[in-house]
Amino acid sequence: MRICVFCGASPGNEARYVDAARGLGQGLAAQGIGVVYGGGRVGLMGALADATLAAGGEVIGVIPQGLVDRELAHPGLSELRIVDTLHERKAEMADLADAFIALPGGLGTLEELSEVVSWAQLELHSKPIGLLDVGDYWSLLLAWLDMAVAEGFVAPAHRRLVIRSDSLAGLLDAFQRWRPPPGRWDVGP
């Protein structure tokens, strides 16, 4: 099994974010679960990869050539796949993964997360999607999703596409019980 992890190329302003990335990498490696991620050596991405590798886990990075040219690729991964575009990167990561976890991050993390949730809503995949919620980092996004349901833009069944937990154990337990909701065209907003 492999889990795609979306996370920041920055470390954030608090040590707890780096600690969470390291803990996630160690926890996945301990469970024999491989990591697929954006291939970077910096920020939470680098912390995740380094901790997973140090714990004996598999790490596959997928990175566009433009970021390799800027020397941002992690040099010590189990495997590094180089693609031409960010679009190819996301598709490749999704193909390699059995589930998704988002750690805290910025606009790129949000965009990657949003895309896999949209793909699930359109029934392009039926893989579980989780938020590892470090210090309620994702609370405003979840509040927005709840508002989108209340305002009729997201079907209540599709709100369930995003699973939240403050622990890896909680996410893995929810992933085991995961059953995708009906597709977008099977339910109204």
Side-chain angles (χ1 to χ4, degrees):
M1 177 177 192
R2 292 184 185 125
I3 293 181
C4 178
V5 179
F6 303 130
C7 58
S10 297
N13 291 333
E14 297 185 31
R16 65 182 172 177
Y17 299 127
V18 172
D19 292 343
R22 288 180 180 141
L24 178 60
Q26 292 164 348
L28 290 172
Q31 297 276 333
I33 299 170
V35 169
V36 176
Y37 85 118
R41 63 175 178 76
V42 296
L44 297 188
M45 291 202 304
L48 169 76
D50 290 342
T52 306
L53 292 165
E58 174 195 48
V59 182
I60 299 174
V62 183
I63 190 166
Q65 182 65 54
L67 296 178
V68 173
D69 294 344
R70 294 181 192 157
E71 299 182 358
L72 295 173
H74 195 294
L77 303 178
S78 308
E79 182 179 348
L80 182 65
R81 296 188 181 193
I82 300 171
V83 296
D84 291 326
T85 68
L86 287 172
H87 296 293
E88 290 175 77
R89 175 200 226 177
K90 291 180 291 186
E92 182 83 9
M93 291 191 319
D95 286 344
L96 290 167
D98 299 297
F100 305 90
I101 293 177
L103 281 165
L107 294 173
T109 301
L110 180 61
E111 188 269 337
E112 291 168 331
L113 172 65
S114 179
E115 189 155 39
V116 296
V117 174
S118 295
W119 290 349
Q121 182 182 23
L122 294 170
E123 297 180 80
L124 300 176
H125 74 81
S126 59
K127 301 170 185 179
I129 304 163
L131 302 176
L132 187 56
D133 202 6
V134 180
D136 289 326
Y137 184 84
W138 295 111
S139 62
L140 292 175
L141 175 65
L142 295 171
W144 174 82
L145 280 172
D146 292 336
M147 182 182 68
V149 170
E151 295 296 326
F153 291 105
V154 173
H158 294 143
R159 170 59 181 85
R160 292 189 311 107
L161 290 170
V162 180
I163 301 164
R164 179 233 164 257
S165 180
D166 59 3
S167 72
L168 173 58
L171 286 177
L172 293 178
D173 181 57
F175 287 1
Q176 287 291 325
R177 295 181 281 111
W178 171 249
R179 299 294 174 265
R184 176 174 172 82
W185 314 118
D186 298 331
V187 296

